[in-house]
């Protein structure tokens, strides 16, 4: 910023892991994934956990409450894991789903106060499953 003010950078955490075994046909030499790749993990990457009712957060500072419940950051994380559930370096990504799907919402503001649904849809539950020789991703949104 240009005014010497501290910039707030959101701290992103991973929630709601999903795990799917990787079919052999997806691994080298048949496929393109490394031979040590055993699982694909999906994660919700966000500063908001949304694990508790709003009443739990009513007495915390406004800035923290807004970070927990009024965030537009709710990304999909994907990573390859080895047989010991360790991430394989270079095979992880965080994807901004609202941009990829073209579903970014407009922020509703009333006299400077955020009202109603804002930002991207609440992609909360990314679930992976293996069917035959393919891996599928299911994403719940509001």
């Amino acid at each position: 910023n240009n005014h010497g003010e501290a910039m707030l950078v959101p701290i992103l955490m991973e929630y709601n892991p999903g795990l799917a075994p990787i079919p052999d046909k997806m691994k080298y030499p048949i496929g393109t994934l490394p031979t040590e790749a055993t699982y694909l993990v999906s994660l919700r990457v966000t500063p908001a956990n949304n694990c508790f009712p709003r009443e739990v957060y009513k007495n915390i500072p406004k800035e923290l409450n807004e970070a927990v419940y009024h965030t537009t950051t709710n990304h999909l994380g994907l990573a390859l894991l080895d047989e010991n559930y360790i991430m394989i370096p270079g095979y992880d990504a965080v994807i901004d789903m609202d941009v990829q799907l073209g579903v970014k919402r407009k922020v509703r503001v009333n006299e400077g106060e955020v009202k109603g649904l804002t930002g991207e849809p609440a992609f909360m539950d990314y679930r992976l499953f293996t069917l035959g020789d393919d891996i599928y991703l299911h994403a719940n949104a509001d």
Side-chain angles (χ1 to χ4, degrees), residues 30-51:
I30 300 167
T32 57
L33 299 180
T35 55
E36 67 269 23
T38 306
Y39 303 102
L40 177 64
V41 65
S42 64
L43 301 156
R44 182 168 61 96
V45 181
T46 179
N49 66 34
N50 295 329
C51 296

Side-chain angles (χ1 to χ4, degrees), residues 6-82:
M7 290 182 60
L8 296 176
V9 178
I11 296 173
L12 299 176
M13 304 293 287
E14 299 90 11
Y15 298 95
N16 304 356
L19 192 67
I22 296 176
D24 288 336
K25 83 163 197 172
M26 294 183 166
K27 300 178 196 179
Y28 184 81
I30 300 167
T32 57
L33 299 180
T35 55
E36 67 269 23
T38 306
Y39 303 102
L40 177 64
V41 65
S42 64
L43 301 156
R44 182 168 61 96
V45 181
T46 179
N49 66 34
N50 295 329
C51 296
F52 306 104
R54 291 184 186 270
E55 294 78 37
V56 171
Y57 298 107
K58 70 180 178 183
N59 293 322
I60 62 175
K62 181 180 178 185
E63 297 81 18
L64 182 57
N65 190 331
E66 288 174 358
V68 172
Y69 279 108
H70 298 289
T71 182
T72 60
T73 305
N74 215 358
H75 305 316
L76 165 64
L78 294 171
L80 295 181
L81 307 179
D82 67 16

